[in-house]
Amino acid sequence: MDNNFRKYPIDFQEIERYLFKAKKDIRVAKKILEISEEASYKTTYDVMMKITLALIMSYGLRPRSKMGHHMTMVNFAKKTLGKENKLLIKRYVNM
């Protein structure tokens, strides 16, 4: 484990809450797209962060709150999801 993460007890109910919030926010992003692309984009980015945090937590880890922790999360997703999700990760990195 690198120093960008700390051990965190796996709590599937907490993970489900993050995923539920992400699903709800996806619906919000779709609705506000007609009003503001920028707001929809920001909401979508927040969805990606919630999903990535849920992924990290499922490994019994939590990112440390420090400068660059968002890229730490993106890199974790990149490593974990592998080459078969290369296009998805590329889009995520470019957000």
Side-chain angles (χ1 to χ4, degrees):
M1 176 174 69
D2 72 40
N3 64 356
N4 290 313
F5 298 96
R6 61 183 170 88
K7 289 189 180 219
Y8 192 79
I10 297 174
D11 179 345
F12 289 107
Q13 289 180 336
E14 184 177 16
I15 292 167
E16 282 186 27
R17 283 192 299 272
Y18 274 98
L19 295 175
F20 178 80
K21 289 177 190 176
K23 189 174 182 180
K24 183 178 171 186
D25 287 350
I26 289 170
R27 289 192 298 270
V28 169
K30 286 179 181 178
K31 287 182 180 182
I32 63 176
L33 181 59
E34 294 177 16
I35 300 166
S36 170
E37 271 188 42
E38 186 177 338
S40 181
Y41 182 87
K42 183 188 180 317
T43 303
T44 302
Y45 181 81
D46 292 343
V47 166
M48 294 296 290
M49 287 287 112
K50 287 175 184 159
I51 291 169
T52 303
L53 183 57
L55 175 66
I56 293 168
M57 291 167 61
S58 75
Y59 281 80
L61 300 171
R62 184 103 187 194
R64 295 188 187 277
S65 294
K66 61 182 187 177
M67 185 70 93
H69 74 279
H70 283 216
M71 268 321 288
T72 297
M73 293 172 65
V74 171
N75 288 331
F76 184 92
K78 183 177 181 178
K79 182 178 176 183
T80 305
L81 297 176
K83 291 180 182 179
E84 58 272 8
N85 292 291
K86 187 177 180 177
L87 181 59
L88 174 66
I89 295 299
K90 183 177 180 180
R91 289 180 179 161
Y92 191 20
V93 168
N94 291 330
M95 289 185 89

